[in-house]
Amino acid sequence: ISDLINNCLEIKLKYLTLFTLSSENIQRKSVNSIFQVIYDDFAFFFEKIINEKKVKIKIIGSKLNLPIKILKLIDHCEHETKKNNKLILNLAFNYGFKNEIQQVLQKIKDNLSIKLNNSEDIKKLFLLGNIKDPDLLIRTGGEKRLSNFIMFNLTYTEIFFVDTLWPDFKFEELKKIISKYKVITRSY
């Protein structure tokens, strides 16, 4: 992730959204081990990002059923990076699109004055809010599915499926995909 962030800063990418932990994975028996690894490994990583003052971190997903130390880490990262603007890093954590739809419907139910007159009002209800929808999505690992990931925001996104596993995905492959993307004639 650190290398990818540096690569995105180098090519002046404005937004990067990574699917870091699905809401389905929260159901695993090994979830406490996953949380411990995240806390141990990512606390240092996040402090590095905070100190560099370039990347704004936004966590999208549900905060339900997360350990307090993970919630504190999330709050700390978001607060300490809120003024950074070279790259907006959205980390989908305890995220699933089906859960996001439930959250949107709950917002509407709780506040009947929410306006649904235009697409911008509706977009603000979703977790990515009013940021630009992704231009491209890269799905690693050879899978040919979206796996319950930000489906509202992917309506006109160009999708690239690659066999490379996530840990092996390198800058050269990213640059090749961006080159392919640049020659696509996009129609809406």
Side-chain angles (χ1 to χ4, degrees), residues 19 21-23 60-61 92-97 100 127 148-150:
F19 203 170
L21 183 68
S22 76
S23 53
I60 63 170
F93 187 82
N94 192 16
Y95 175 85
F97 181 69
E100 184 176 10
L127 295 174
N148 201 14
F149 184 59
I150 63 171

Side-chain angles (χ1 to χ4, degrees), residues 44-72:
F44 173 76
F45 167 72
F46 286 137
E47 286 304 317
K48 179 180 177 283
I49 288 176
I50 289 167
N51 292 333
E52 289 174 350
K53 300 185 186 312
K54 295 177 185 173
V55 177
K56 178 178 182 174
I57 297 172
K58 181 180 177 191
I59 308 295
I60 63 170
S62 173
K63 293 185 178 180
L64 296 176
N65 302 318
L66 296 181
I68 290 173
K69 67 181 179 181
I70 297 290
L71 291 171
K72 286 181 178 180

Side-chain angles (χ1 to χ4, degrees), residues 25-181:
N25 288 341
I26 295 292
Q27 308 306 318
R28 290 184 181 181
K29 291 178 182 173
S30 62
V31 72
N32 288 329
S33 298
I34 293 170
F35 286 144
Q36 192 61 47
V37 166
I38 289 168
Y39 187 79
D40 292 344
D41 292 351
F42 279 78
F44 173 76
F45 167 72
F46 286 137
E47 286 304 317
K48 179 180 177 283
I49 288 176
I50 289 167
N51 292 333
E52 289 174 350
K53 300 185 186 312
K54 295 177 185 173
V55 177
K56 178 178 182 174
I57 297 172
K58 181 180 177 191
I59 308 295
I60 63 170
S62 173
K63 293 185 178 180
L64 296 176
N65 302 318
L66 296 181
I68 290 173
K69 67 181 179 181
I70 297 290
L71 291 171
K72 286 181 178 180
L73 180 62
I74 289 169
D75 289 343
H76 173 69
C77 293
E78 289 182 325
H79 176 75
E80 293 297 318
T81 63
K82 67 183 175 188
K83 294 180 182 174
N84 301 346
N85 61 10
K86 289 191 187 249
L87 175 70
I88 310 303
L89 175 63
N90 298 301
L91 296 174
F93 187 82
N94 192 16
Y95 175 85
F97 181 69
K98 291 178 180 181
N99 290 4
E100 184 176 10
I101 289 293
Q102 288 175 330
Q103 291 174 36
V104 167
L105 294 173
Q106 190 64 51
K107 286 178 191 176
I108 295 168
K109 181 181 174 191
D110 292 346
N111 183 355
L112 297 176
S113 67
I114 291 175
K115 294 184 176 150
L116 302 173
N117 301 3
N118 64 58
S119 59
E120 288 304 312
D121 290 338
I122 293 169
K123 190 173 179 178
K124 288 176 188 173
L125 295 170
F126 288 85
L127 295 174
L128 286 181
N130 60 359
I131 69 168
K132 186 178 180 298
D133 286 342
D135 291 316
L136 64 95
L137 171 89
I138 302 169
R139 174 64 200 251
T140 60
E143 300 292 343
K144 306 270 189 292
R145 63 175 185 259
L146 297 179
S147 296
N148 201 14
F149 184 59
I150 63 171
M151 307 227 352
F152 177 82
N153 303 90
L154 297 179
T155 307
Y156 291 104
T157 300
E158 301 295 331
I159 303 172
F160 293 83
F161 297 102
V162 298
D163 290 331
T164 308
L165 296 175
W166 164 243
D168 300 322
F169 188 78
K170 302 293 182 223
F171 191 31
E172 290 307 312
E173 194 163 5
L174 175 62
K175 288 192 292 189
K176 285 179 186 173
I177 290 170
I178 290 172
S179 292
K180 289 178 184 177
Y181 167 80

